[in-house]
Amino acid sequence: MTATAQDTEVVLKVSGLEAGYERPGRHGFGRRRVPVVAGIDLAVRAGRTLGVVGESGCGKSTLARAVVGLRPAFAGSIEFAGADLASVPARRRRRMSRDLQMVFQDPYTSLNPRMTVAAVVAEGWRVHPGIVPRDREDAEVARLLDLVGLSLEHGQRHLHQLSGGQCQRVAIARALALRPKLLVCDEAVSALDVSVRAQILNLMADLQAELGVAYLFISHDLDVVRHIAHDVAVMYLGTVVEQGPAAEVFGDPQHPYTRALLSAAPSVRDRPDDGAGEIVLRGEVPSPAEPPSGCRFRTRCYMAADVCERETPALVPRGGPPQAVACHFADGAGTTAPPREGSEPDGRAGTDHARP
Ligand SMILES: Nc1ncnc2c1ncn2[C@@H]1O[C@H](COP(=O)(O)OP(=O)(O)O)[C@@H](O)[C@H]1O
Ligand SMILES: [Mg+2]
């Protein structure tokens, strides 16, 4: 991390977070907690974007929902703007929720399709009065629509009359109407066509430059995260395995899982023709509710040794590169250890996996 990056104020700090869902207990008594993510540490700096990547099912949405308070946190802390969200009184928490907004994957289900666009954008002002005086609301809606590339005429339409990309613009305008410090985006562009996706990503980058809002930007799509994130956290089975500046994580990945992910996505790598073959991971992803002991990645790792079964590797910087890596063998030089028997970097160097 550069000196300037470290100097920037941290808006969101997640430490040791365990979160998941609750189920009825045995014989229907009480509730049983099922953790999905565990030991998550991450930080989002003011006006910057932390991208979170990982395969479907690794717990990204659980993390996003826990951060905005839609899922219970079983352990750990979520500090927002310097205050621990779990310990602030309800009233202050409500006030803080204004600064912490979320954009979901599907605007058709996350927003009310029967409302007009203008009413959707202004909805948050009913919950959080005092942001915009009543007599200024129309003008502010017009300004917000303009900001996200919609016209005043769109304001009178209903959501079901808009395209997916236009709806997502409305969802962004609605979130920005509260002037948040942080926007949590969970697969916010994943349902959009490629060209519309690029437009929305560019819009979000422009809005960040203009408004200074920070993004926790979650996506299973490496290309998308590569496009928008300053920093990246790579998730596997409910934990962060590697985190650091995007250029370092994508340019010089240290964790065996990150390497495997990137090996299957040459278009995301800095040097797609680096001759590295695709690393094909063996086995199935275990259930996040019953993760392997020690390193959660070990059952699929081509470098796993006995220590990986016994000891959980901490997410820490390991020598050379600036990113933090949760791997016993990533010391900046040691990740070249020979693959263990039964694993297969399959050596398909030079095959064309490039996506459009
Ligand atoms: N309320 C729930 N009930 C049952 N399983 C759940 C629930 N919430 C999450 N899970 C399980 O937790 C895992 C992670 O889910 P999620 O956080 O949605 O992952 P992602 O967003 O990375 O795809 C999945 O295996 C999912 O089935
Ligand atoms: Mg999800």
Side-chain angles (χ1 to χ4, degrees):
M1 238 179 265
T2 63
T4 42
Q6 272 171 341
D7 292 344
T8 319
E9 174 205 355
V10 170
V11 273
L12 177 77
K13 185 161 187 281
V14 172
S15 312
L17 178 70
E18 181 181 303
Y21 55 95
E22 292 185 338
R23 276 202 163 154
R26 245 169 246 248
H27 311 299
F29 291 112
R31 316 225 5 110
R32 192 164 59 88
R33 290 173 162 187
V34 185
V36 172
V37 299
I40 299 258
D41 294 332
L42 47 84
V44 186
R45 289 174 287 121
R48 309 271 292 177
T49 300
L50 174 69
V52 177
V53 284
E55 291 161 296
S56 174
C58 72
K60 301 181 299 297
S61 293
T62 303
L63 167 67
R65 285 165 186 270
V67 164
V68 300
L70 293 173
R71 280 285 179 90
F74 302 149
S77 67
I78 301 169
E79 270 176 57
F80 181 66
D84 185 346
L85 287 183
S87 55
V88 299
R91 253 185 85 172
R92 179 147 173 242
R93 163 106 213 195
R94 211 173 310 124
R95 166 66 187 77
M96 287 173 76
S97 71
R98 198 185 111 177
D99 293 331
L100 181 57
Q101 291 296 308
M102 182 149 170
V103 175
F104 297 87
Q105 172 167 354
D106 182 1
Y108 292 108
T109 54
S110 61
L111 305 175
N112 183 344
R114 286 193 297 270
M115 287 168 73
T116 64
V117 166
V120 168
V121 172
E123 202 182 8
W125 300 332
R126 306 282 81 79
V127 185
H128 301 279
I131 300 174
V132 180
R134 280 271 184 170
D135 60 348
R136 294 278 312 145
E137 282 192 6
D138 288 351
E140 182 63 5
V141 167
R143 189 185 73 86
L144 285 160
L145 290 179
D146 184 54
L147 206 55
V148 298
L150 294 173
S151 70
L152 205 51
E153 182 260 332
H154 287 113
Q156 299 320 309
R157 294 204 209 160
H158 293 262
L159 279 183
H160 63 82
Q161 296 171 302
L162 303 185
S163 68
Q166 287 171 332
C167 271
Q168 212 51 317
R169 288 172 192 267
V170 175
I172 294 166
R174 177 183 192 267
L176 293 178
L178 297 173
R179 300 174 190 168
K181 288 192 171 80
L182 175 71
L183 209 53
V184 177
C185 305
D186 186 10
E187 305 281 6
V189 299
S190 302
L192 306 174
D193 294 342
V194 176
S195 63
V196 180
R197 184 180 303 166
Q199 287 169 16
I200 299 287
L201 286 174
N202 290 336
L203 167 70
M204 292 190 69
D206 292 347
L207 290 172
Q208 182 171 63
E210 193 171 333
L211 307 172
V213 58
Y215 299 138
L216 177 61
F217 196 96
I218 292 169
S219 178
H220 69 279
D221 188 328
L222 289 161
D223 275 315
V224 163
V225 170
R226 174 77 166 143
H227 192 95
I228 197 159
H230 300 105
D231 298 300
V232 176
V234 180
M235 278 183 75
Y236 177 80
L237 198 64
T239 57
V240 175
V241 296
E242 180 159 358
Q243 184 175 183
E248 313 293 342
V249 174
F250 286 119
D252 188 18
Q254 298 296 309
H255 195 284
Y257 178 64
T258 317
R259 292 186 167 192
L261 263 189
L262 289 172
S263 79
S267 61
V268 187
R269 296 207 298 269
D270 277 349
R271 287 169 284 124
D273 54 351
D274 54 13
E278 181 173 345
I279 302 168
V280 179
L281 297 175
R282 63 215 165 96
E284 297 290 313
V285 183
S287 159
E290 285 171 66
S293 65
C295 173
R296 290 183 169 213
F297 183 56
R298 71 174 167 81
T299 54
R300 303 182 70 208
C301 184
Y302 47 91
M303 291 170 61
D306 292 347
V307 63
C308 309
E309 190 175 338
R310 293 191 311 269
E311 291 173 27
T312 306
L315 182 68
V316 290
R318 293 176 192 262
Q323 65 263 45
V325 190
C327 175
H328 294 300
F329 295 105
D331 56 8
T335 32
T336 47
R340 193 170 74 162
E341 213 180 310
S343 62
E344 57 265 33
D346 75 0
R348 272 188 278 147
T351 46
D352 183 13
H353 297 285
R355 278 176 281 169

